[in-house]
Amino acid sequence: MTIETNSEQETLELGCRLGEQAVSGQVFALEGDLGVGKTVLTKGLAEGLGITEPVNSPTFTIMQIYEEGRLPLYHFDVYRIGDPEEMDEIGYEDYFYGEGVCLIEWANLISELLPPQTVHIRIEKDPARGFDYRRITIL
């Protein structure tokens, strides 16, 4: 499925719908260039799960846990992972195969660790279509 958004708000709303439909154990693999809107989509997903605390990309901490929603959200940013084996240090399997919802930014960097049922989301810009245009492909 491909969805086009034309504003940050529309991208946030798409994330919110994904969060409202998310189920226990679901893993979302988010891919796209820097500044494409991965964290905006993540904020919407958190909102859809009922999380009200501020959501920021955990670039330096690798993972942030949000537990106040209807399901816990395990938000990973693996941009700084040099080797997928580094994920063992944080016990990724407990989260990827747990009861919460995982969202992984830069998931392509650890693709061999992703569960088979992972939902892949690719966000792309197209400057010819405008500064805020995004093409979001969900597989």
Side-chain angles (χ1 to χ4, degrees), residues 81-111:
I81 293 287
D83 184 324
E85 289 182 7
E86 292 176 43
M87 293 293 289
D88 289 332
E89 296 173 20
I90 57 175
Y92 79 93
E93 289 179 326
D94 293 340
Y95 302 103
F96 286 18
Y97 298 97
E99 298 299 315
V101 174
C102 285
L103 188 137
I104 308 150
E105 296 188 40
W106 298 98
N108 54 303
L109 298 175
I110 60 163
S111 58

